[in-house]
Amino acid sequence: MIRKLFLIVVILGFSILIARSQSVVATSDLFKRADESSISGKLTIIQDPALDTLMNRYIQGYKNLEEKYGYSGMEGFRIQIYSNSNRNAKDESGKVNAEFLSKFPESQYPELKSYTQFAQPAYYKIRVGDFRTKTEATRLFLLISKSFPDAYIVPDIINFPDQNNK
């Protein structure tokens, strides 16, 4: 009986330590202005501190992605229309990219930008589009798969959407 009680106390003690070790970061600390002037107004936001922590984790996650891949972006989806590693894969990828651009010109499909990627040891890939959800990608995948039957949707780091065109 004493062993069970001791075990329960130890588990509760560790859980309290773990809960207290999670820090709370204020949203106002995340977005500091460098040019704070005396004529600017003041906005007070009253919200749950857990929301600040959640926002901080979200922002830090994208900063970690930027460090990992070397460019900024967010998790999303693209349509892969070509992937090969044979000797003339570089030339083939250029031809496939040119064929894609002729069939899906940017004037008609501005959301379909093509990206040529090289992955070690010798893979050349062509991926198109910047889709935040798989549903967005599926709509254009059905159109692209008619011309490129080997195409499929892949998760990728995409460019941030342009909010000025919305």
Side-chain angles (χ1 to χ4, degrees), residues 124-143:
Y124 283 90
K125 301 175 185 178
I126 297 179
R127 295 180 175 178
V128 296
D130 288 315
F131 307 105
R132 296 198 298 187
T133 63
K134 202 167 190 176
T135 307
E136 290 177 21
T138 303
R139 183 177 60 84
L140 287 169
F141 167 74
L142 296 173
L143 182 66

Side-chain angles (χ1 to χ4, degrees), residues 59-149:
I59 291 168
Q60 290 299 327
Y62 280 119
K63 285 182 182 176
N64 292 341
L65 280 176
E66 185 174 351
E67 291 172 6
K68 181 178 178 183
Y69 293 107
Y71 59 90
S72 63
M74 60 186 284
E75 292 178 346
F77 296 91
R78 286 192 173 140
I79 300 169
Q80 184 163 310
I81 61 172
Y82 177 81
S83 175
N84 206 335
S85 67
N86 61 18
R87 288 181 183 237
N88 57 353
K90 185 176 182 179
D91 297 331
E92 283 182 17
S93 68
K95 291 176 185 175
V96 170
N97 194 18
E99 179 185 352
F100 173 78
L101 292 174
S102 67
K103 290 184 178 181
F104 300 96
E106 193 172 337
S107 59
Q108 290 179 335
Y109 302 97
E111 67 274 10
L112 287 179
K113 294 186 173 108
S114 66
Y115 303 93
T116 303
Q117 298 176 348
F118 175 76
Q120 292 291 348
Y123 273 99
Y124 283 90
K125 301 175 185 178
I126 297 179
R127 295 180 175 178
V128 296
D130 288 315
F131 307 105
R132 296 198 298 187
T133 63
K134 202 167 190 176
T135 307
E136 290 177 21
T138 303
R139 183 177 60 84
L140 287 169
F141 167 74
L142 296 173
L143 182 66
I144 291 172
S145 64
K146 292 175 184 172
S147 300
F148 298 93

Side-chain angles (χ1 to χ4, degrees), residues 10-40:
V10 169
I11 291 173
L12 284 174
F14 279 123
S15 62
I16 290 172
L17 286 174
I18 290 171
R20 296 188 92 219
S21 68
Q22 294 181 356
S23 62
V24 176
V25 178
T27 308
S28 59
D29 295 337
L30 294 174
F31 302 106
K32 291 274 187 195
R33 290 185 63 174
D35 62 337
E36 289 197 31
S37 62
S38 61
I39 60 169
S40 64

